[in-house]
């Protein structure tokens, strides 16, 4: 199994969680805040940055890290999620073998596998992700089959573009970013297996669990996670794209997954949902407990007028400095600072989670 | 002239600017951000905290400083501005000699001079301000006369309440907060003079320039500032309430004023107006220049795609870390971080202004 994720500046311990800095910013935070939450890496969105920022500003700053002044690792997703949510739905565009067309105010944008890789190389991410044809939730077998075929087709072209660009830019093997393939096939295990094998034939540094990991009954689909893990070479990264809740991450780590990203900690924070460990100190946290964490809603809880911290098992800006009463007040008056402090807290919750998972007892045997 | 403003923890150099932390928070900032802008003190609002927070949470934290975790100085205004803007206008309440009644959702609130002082003592401010009857802009002579009479009446009762509370709580003379009287009388210099003299008879630690300092023609009324200064004892603080633009502060300091508060730097920041010195470094700033500062609007200016700082004459979080292009991007995507970084920048602009004004050349001779 992989032991580290290398970025230009550092080797990052695995497993690692990358929160979403979609447009080059984690909502309500500045880059120093991300550092203060001890977050080793972030995920940026190729489609949104391509559309809203363009190449000039990024190139003037020598990549997204310079633009954000971010010293940690960066993964750029491919825009595949937007293919599903924007181009495939609500008449927002169309998808052909050439690529995905998005109908925007002021014209249409064609995102091809080649363009996605090219822009990600301009972003100078540490890991680029191939454009994928996202299998819709509850897809029929035929629909899932079609998305697998197109995903594999696009993966080939992405890999070719990637190799050409690395040669053209004379990037030595050791300094190339990682390139990730994305496995599709919905809930059909045979399609997932086939997709995994065909992507491995093309050759990548890792594979992502693509599509919705949540089944119609609301349960996480661990069978798909397993079939990908079983068919991936041992030296591949396994990446739970968009995963997930803390206990889902714990379970996926046990299956060999080591990279995760998810909007949950940041989005939940902005909606007054804070994660707290059921423990009295960071040392006391026990991920083997059945219910090792809880949600905390600032204005609904007792002690909301008291001078006590949100959590004793946290060392974030919020928990080290402010009281439950102050946070409840900030949310009550709809002050943005409440969202920022809560976001930093939830990110620190996730970075503590990953630190705990880096101990040997949770590694896949 | 006063040389320092003492707070519980520190002696603060004069002149000093107190930005508005109306509800116990400077909008978009946390308390550590205020420190990082090298802001020595803040102004909180008695009326808003009384209405929205009540006494319990404040008492649980031993005052507003504990609640905010703020180590600097605090001035609490009296609620006088709200008497004018909320109680006197739009049928929002009424004002009698007893106090100001505010008609709120869920009932009415009566704010008396006594209650205002009592709550400010619970807040444990370093300077309490007496409740004043704000003279309306463009008031007739009779209206201005009435507001002076009520302001003096309320000032007497405030001072009595203050003295009683200090005795009851056994606060030794040296540990008592400052108490500030507020001068009214509109643009009528004889009323301003009379009000000043009658407040001095009651006895305060300083006097505030109350009411609107801006005349109908948009000019700052320095004549009123002068008449108050001329009639105040030499050991009084002179406080420009709600003052002001950078050059207005410079002019008032020359007249002997040493305390200021204003919403401008914080409100302007949230509306994309940043203050920058016309200088290449902090050392180069020259307040004697005719136009020593400019406004900077992030998304309208040249260099908005460039990797250059907002200002070379600033050492704030924004200018030390991020580029014009990044700030323009954050504003373009309506990201709250843009407002926070700009607020910190504008506060640092004001704290640099005050540091420059603390040099001898600007002291009143």
């Amino acid at each position: 199994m992989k032991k580290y994720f290398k970025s230009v500046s550092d080797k990052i311990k695995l497993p690692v969680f990358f929160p979403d800095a979609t447009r080059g910013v984690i909502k309500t935070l500045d880059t120093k805040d991300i550092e203060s939450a001890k977050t080793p890496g972030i995920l940026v969105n190729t489609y949104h940055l391509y559309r809203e920022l363009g190449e000039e500003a990024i190139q003037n700053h020598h990549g997204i890290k310079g633009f954000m002044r971010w010293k940690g690792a960066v993964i750029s997703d491919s825009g595949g999620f937007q293919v599903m949510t924007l181009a495939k739905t609500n008449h927002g565009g169309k998808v052909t073998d050439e690529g995905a067309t998005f109908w925007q105010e002021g014209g249409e944008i064609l995102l091809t596998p080649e363009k996605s890789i090219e822009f990600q190389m301009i972003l100078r991410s540490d890991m680029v992700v191939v454009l994928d044809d996202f299998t819709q939730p509850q897809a029929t077998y035929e629909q899932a089959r079609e998305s697998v075929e197109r995903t594999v087709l696009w993966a080939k072209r992405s890999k070719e573009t990637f190799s050409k660009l690395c040669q053209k830019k004379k990037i030595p093997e050791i300094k190339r970013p990682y390139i990730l393939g994305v496995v599709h096939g919905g809930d059909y295990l045979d399609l997932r297996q086939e997709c995994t094998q065909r992507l491995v034939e093309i050759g990548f540094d890792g594979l992502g669990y693509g599509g919705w990991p949540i089944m119609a009954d609301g349960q996480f689909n661990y069978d798909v996670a397993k079939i990908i893990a079983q068919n991936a070479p041992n030296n591949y990264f396994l990446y739970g794209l968009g995963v997930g809740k803390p206990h889902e991450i714990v379970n996926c780590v046990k299956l060999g997954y080591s990279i995760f990203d998810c909007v949950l900690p940041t989005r939940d924070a902005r909606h007054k949902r804070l994660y707290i460990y059921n423990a009295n100190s960071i040392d006391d946290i026990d991920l083997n407990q059945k219910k090792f964490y809880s949600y905390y809603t600032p204005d609904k809880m007792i002690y909301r007028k008291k001078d006590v911290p949100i959590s004793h098992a946290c060392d974030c800006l919020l928990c080290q400095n402010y009281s439950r009463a102050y946070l409840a007040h900030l949310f009550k008056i709809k002050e943005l600072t409440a969202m920022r402090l809560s976001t930093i807290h939830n990110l620190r919750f996730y970075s503590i989670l990953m630190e705990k998972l880096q101990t040997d007892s949770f590694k896949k045997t």
Side-chain angles (χ1 to χ4, degrees), chain A residues 72-222:
Chain A
V74 168
I75 298 175
S76 48
D77 72 7
S78 60
F81 188 71
Q82 283 69 39
V83 170
M84 202 281 291
T85 55
L86 299 178
K88 281 193 176 181
T89 53
N90 300 318
H91 308 288
K94 61 173 181 177
V95 178
T96 65
D97 282 350
E98 187 189 7
T101 304
F102 300 89
W103 296 324
Q104 300 286 330
E105 269 180 65
E108 59 177 45
I109 294 180
L110 173 66
L111 186 64
T112 63
E114 292 81 3
K115 266 199 207 166
S116 177
I117 293 292
E118 282 162 15
F119 189 64
Q120 291 180 66
M121 295 298 278
I122 290 170
L123 291 175
R124 298 200 186 190
S125 320
D126 297 305
M127 175 180 270
V128 302
V129 176
V130 301
L131 188 67
D132 52 324
D133 187 29
F134 200 105
T135 310
Q136 293 172 75
Q138 280 99 57
T140 63
Y141 192 85
E142 288 65 35
Q143 289 170 326
R145 156 66 63 194
E146 188 190 333
S147 85
V148 167
E149 292 299 331
R150 191 171 285 132
T151 289
V152 172
L153 174 73
W154 286 1
K156 264 186 211 151
R157 283 161 48 193
S158 298
K159 179 71 188 296
E160 284 166 14
T161 302
F162 177 77
S163 301
K164 267 186 222 160
L165 281 174
C166 288
Q167 282 178 357
K168 191 176 151 197
K169 297 184 184 207
K170 299 198 172 83
I171 309 175
E173 195 80 36
I174 199 164
K175 290 205 165 178
R176 290 182 184 183
Y178 297 121
I179 180 167
L180 186 90
V182 179
V183 178
H184 279 289
D187 292 342
Y188 306 101
L189 296 182
D190 60 324
L191 290 180
R192 289 283 190 175
Q193 178 167 20
E194 180 190 325
C195 190
T196 303
Q197 290 167 341
R198 289 170 69 184
L199 290 172
V200 170
E201 271 173 42
I202 299 169
F204 291 98
D205 296 297
L207 290 177
Y209 179 163
W212 291 113
I214 309 297
M215 296 182 289
D217 64 359
Q219 296 300 302
F220 190 95
N221 194 330
Y222 291 108

Side-chain angles (χ1 to χ4, degrees), chain A residues 14 40 111 180 249 283 304 333 348:
Chain A
L14 296 173
L111 186 64
L180 186 90
I249 288 181
D283 283 345
R304 70 180 170 76
I333 63 171
R348 182 60 187 133

